[in-house]
Amino acid sequence: MEEQYEKKITWTIKNFSSLPSEKICSDNFVVGDSKWRLVAYPKGHGDSFNKSLSLFLAVADSESLPYGWKRDTKYRQTVVNQTSEKLSQQKVGKPWFNQNCVSWGFQSMVPLTELLDINGGFLVNGEIKIVAEVGVLEVVGKSDVFVETSLVNESIDVNGFQVLPSQVESVKSLFIKHPDIASQFRPKNPHLRTAYLNSILSLTESLCQSPEELSNADLANAYCTLTCVTKAGFKLDWLEKKLKEIGEARLQEIEEELKDMKQTCVDMETLLVFLR
C-alpha cells in the first residue's frame, strides 16, 4: 500500500532562474506539534554547489522546543516535472530531528542541467514546483507554544464527532450537504470517530484541488482512503463520483504507468531467479 503522510504541501518557487539568494524557505506549516518549513538551495549546497538543487526539511520552531526534544519523522519530497509526471524526481527519508539536527534532506535532488533545461519540464514559465509530504511518528518534548494554546484547541461536538474549533464550519457544512453521511457508522470510541472524520475532510480537500495538482499516486491514496472509510460505514457517493471523474480523464495514463510497474516487477523477479 502507498505510504500515508499527515501533511502534504505544494511549494511553487517563482522566477527560479533569477533568484538572488543562495537559500530560500517555504512558509511554515504545522505537523505533529511542531512547525516545519522547506529549505531550498537553488544553486546547490555543500558538495553539490553549482551542480544540483539541494532541498531540506527543517524544524522552524526549534528555539521554542524544550531541552532534549526529538521528532521521529517520515517524509517524501518531489520536484515535479510539469510536462511528464514519470520524470518527476522523488526522494524519501525517515530521519530523527533534535537540537543537534534541525534540518535534514538531500544535497543532490535534481542536477541543475536538467532543472534549468527549458525543454526539460521542471522549469515552466520560470517556476518550479515542489511537493512535500510529512508525517511525524513520535514526539519527545512538546512545544511550549502548542502547550499554551492547547486550551484554545479543545474539541467541540458536532453531530457526535469531536472536532477542533477550526474544523467546526467545515464539518457542519459537510453534514448539511450530506445529512446521512454517518448514518451507518457504528464505532463509539471518540478518538476513532475523529480519526475517520479527519480522513474524510482530508480526502475532500484533496479531491477539490485542480486535477492537474493530483498525481496518480495521490489518486491511489484517495482510493485507499475512500475504500477504508466506506467500509467503516460512511456514505461517500459524491466523493466516489468525483474520484471516478478525475481518474477516467487520465485512464490511459494510469494504464501505461501500471504497465511499466508490472514490467519492473517482472524484471525484478527475473533478477531474483538469476541471483538464486
Side-chain angles (χ1 to χ4, degrees):
M1 182 179 293
E2 184 76 18
E3 187 82 63
Q4 300 291 317
Y5 296 85
E6 293 176 57
K7 188 82 169 183
K8 176 180 177 181
I9 67 161
T10 299
W11 182 24
T12 300
I13 305 177
K14 299 181 178 181
N15 303 315
F16 184 82
S17 300
S18 57
L19 288 173
S21 59
E22 296 182 358
K23 169 184 172 182
I24 55 174
C25 300
S26 71
D27 292 335
N28 292 348
F29 55 93
V30 176
V31 188
D33 194 49
S34 286
K35 293 180 181 179
W36 304 83
R37 65 185 172 208
L38 298 178
V39 180
Y41 293 82
K43 297 181 180 179
H45 180 66
D47 294 337
S48 294
F49 184 69
N50 279 336
K51 296 178 182 178
S52 300
L53 168 69
S54 299
L55 187 60
F56 298 84
L57 175 67
V59 181
D61 61 348
S62 59
E63 294 183 357
S64 70
L65 297 176
Y67 179 80
W69 68 269
K70 293 180 181 179
R71 299 290 185 272
D72 184 16
T73 67
K74 60 178 181 178
Y75 82 102
R76 175 167 60 194
Q77 55 190 26
T78 305
V79 181
V80 179
N81 188 294
Q82 300 177 62
T83 58
S84 175
E85 183 181 328
K86 295 180 181 179
L87 297 178
S88 296
Q89 296 294 307
Q90 184 178 98
K91 292 190 178 183
V92 298
K94 291 189 174 182
W96 272 94
F97 291 84
N98 55 50
Q99 58 201 40
N100 297 318
C101 178
V102 298
S103 67
W104 197 93
F106 302 94
Q107 289 190 358
S108 300
M109 193 67 198
V110 182
L112 294 180
T113 51
E114 296 181 23
L115 190 69
L116 300 177
D117 184 350
I118 58 174
N119 297 314
F122 291 104
L123 185 66
V124 176
N125 296 324
E127 301 178 351
I128 68 166
K129 185 181 297 183
I130 295 169
V131 174
E133 297 160 277
V134 182
V136 175
L137 306 175
E138 183 178 348
V139 173
V140 177
K142 289 190 174 183
S143 165
D144 294 338
V145 174
F146 281 89
V147 170
E148 291 171 3
T149 59
S150 61
L151 292 177
V152 178
N153 291 328
E154 287 182 350
S155 60
I156 297 172
D157 185 280
V158 178
N159 285 61
F161 291 85
Q162 298 299 313
V163 302
L164 296 176
S166 61
Q167 297 175 312
V168 170
E169 292 304 318
S170 296
V171 176
K172 284 184 176 179
S173 176
L174 185 65
F175 278 97
I176 290 173
K177 293 178 180 178
H178 311 282
D180 63 342
I181 181 177
S183 60
Q184 301 299 317
F185 183 63
R186 301 307 181 202
K188 302 299 183 183
N189 184 292
H191 299 293
L192 184 59
R193 292 174 66 85
T194 297
Y196 273 109
L197 184 62
N198 284 338
S199 294
I200 294 173
L201 293 175
S202 177
L203 179 61
T204 302
E205 181 181 355
S206 178
L207 293 181
C208 284
Q209 295 182 74
S210 167
E212 290 76 20
E213 295 286 333
L214 296 169
S215 67
N216 291 338
D218 292 330
L219 296 183
N221 282 337
Y223 175 73
C224 289
T225 302
L226 181 62
T227 301
C228 178
V229 294
T230 300
K231 285 182 177 179
F234 285 97
K235 295 182 179 180
L236 302 171
D237 296 348
W238 84 96
L239 286 179
E240 182 177 339
K241 180 180 178 182
K242 182 68 174 179
L243 180 57
K244 281 186 177 181
E245 288 176 353
I246 298 173
E248 288 173 355
R250 59 172 77 171
L251 185 60
Q252 183 176 352
E253 179 186 333
I254 294 174
E255 288 176 341
E256 291 176 354
E257 186 171 327
L258 179 59
K259 181 179 179 181
D260 292 342
M261 292 171 65
K262 287 182 177 179
Q263 183 59 52
T264 299
C265 289
V266 171
D267 293 341
M268 291 297 289
E269 289 176 353
T270 304
L271 176 60
L272 283 174
V273 171
F274 169 73
L275 294 174
R276 289 172 178 166

